[in-house]
Amino acid sequence: PDTQDAGFEPALKALTLKRFLALVLLLDQAHQRDVLGNNTCLFNKDADIKRSDAFLVLLNRELLKGEGDLVKHVHHYGYKLTVEQSSLDEYSYQITNLAEDLRDGVRLARLTELMLAHSAEPVNLLSQLQVPASSRLQKMHNVKLAFQCLKSNGCFLLDSSIKDVVAGHRENTLNTLWRILLHFKVNELVDT
């Protein structure tokens, strides 16, 4: 075989690896700096791996045996992989069914955060939620958290409404939303 051909394959592999690592680092940095926009997920929702560093560990284990810790090598050059996709990153805040979609408390907590975003002390409720909320107890916790925050900001809500929201009681859920909207005088915030 020709000597140029013998060196071509290793050089191509090295170049491919460099480009692949550059892509991983670029996407990690872009996500970290919010260049990709809100709610952009780097990983498939059904994927087993949801962290950039775990992805490199998998790449290292499956394709680069004997190369050492790839994450350490990347860190040595000044790159720190930080993206970790959580359940909240994958959450769709769109409401299609008023009674059903507010039951887990996540959308209600997000609404609360948005309504209080310009207040003296903006709140971060989403980090305190239990997500995904699969049990009734977790849903109660999430809705109760949103209610407590709204009440502490002067919104008049009945404690009995927590159970109604979690149960998906349409009329009482709508009543709760109206109370929130009237409290924050949404008609003054939205041009009609």
Side-chain angles (χ1 to χ4, degrees):
D2 194 325
T3 54
Q4 285 183 332
D5 291 337
F8 177 74
E9 190 175 329
L12 181 62
K13 287 180 180 179
L15 179 65
T16 304
L17 179 60
K18 278 184 189 177
R19 296 286 162 91
F20 187 76
L21 286 174
L23 179 63
V24 171
L25 294 171
L26 172 77
L27 288 173
D28 190 88
Q29 292 291 313
H31 191 277
Q32 188 179 37
R33 294 184 177 135
D34 203 23
V35 173
L36 303 174
N38 286 345
N39 302 333
T40 302
C41 294
L42 290 184
F43 301 96
N44 189 314
K45 293 179 182 182
D46 299 325
D48 293 331
I49 294 182
K50 306 232 179 170
R51 292 187 353 244
S52 297
D53 60 346
F55 182 71
L56 283 188
V57 168
L58 177 68
L59 173 75
N60 195 30
R61 185 176 63 231
E62 298 295 325
L63 301 175
L64 303 170
K65 295 178 174 133
E67 288 298 320
D69 188 350
L70 192 56
V71 176
K72 256 187 194 174
H73 291 311
V74 169
H75 188 67
H76 176 71
Y77 288 105
Y79 296 105
K80 185 174 182 188
L81 300 171
T82 60
V83 170
E84 184 172 351
Q85 187 169 299
S86 69
S87 298
L88 281 174
D89 295 327
E90 300 170 351
Y91 199 89
S92 171
Y93 293 98
Q94 181 179 359
I95 296 176
T96 56
N97 181 332
L98 189 62
E100 290 296 315
D101 293 342
L102 296 176
R103 291 180 65 199
D104 65 359
V106 177
R107 290 174 184 92
L108 192 58
R110 180 69 179 136
L111 174 66
T112 303
E113 282 187 353
L114 291 172
M115 297 307 248
L116 296 172
H118 300 293
S119 66
E121 290 184 36
V123 294
N124 183 7
L125 286 177
L126 294 180
S127 64
Q128 301 174 47
L129 298 180
Q130 296 178 359
V131 180
S134 49
S135 73
R136 186 175 190 285
L137 193 60
Q138 290 170 322
K139 293 174 184 180
M140 290 286 287
H141 166 79
N142 293 348
V143 173
K144 186 176 183 180
L145 205 67
F147 269 53
Q148 287 172 342
C149 186
L150 288 164
K151 282 178 159 184
S152 69
N153 282 279
C155 187
F156 179 72
L157 297 172
L158 302 173
D159 285 334
S160 61
S161 298
I162 295 172
K163 291 179 184 175
D164 293 331
V165 171
V166 172
H169 191 276
R170 189 176 313 267
E171 290 80 17
N172 290 353
T173 300
L174 190 58
N175 183 25
T176 299
L177 285 176
W178 273 116
R179 287 175 184 265
I180 294 169
L181 295 175
L182 290 173
H183 173 73
F184 288 102
K185 300 178 180 136
V186 172
N187 57 344
E188 293 176 10
L189 300 174
V190 179
D191 293 332
T192 53

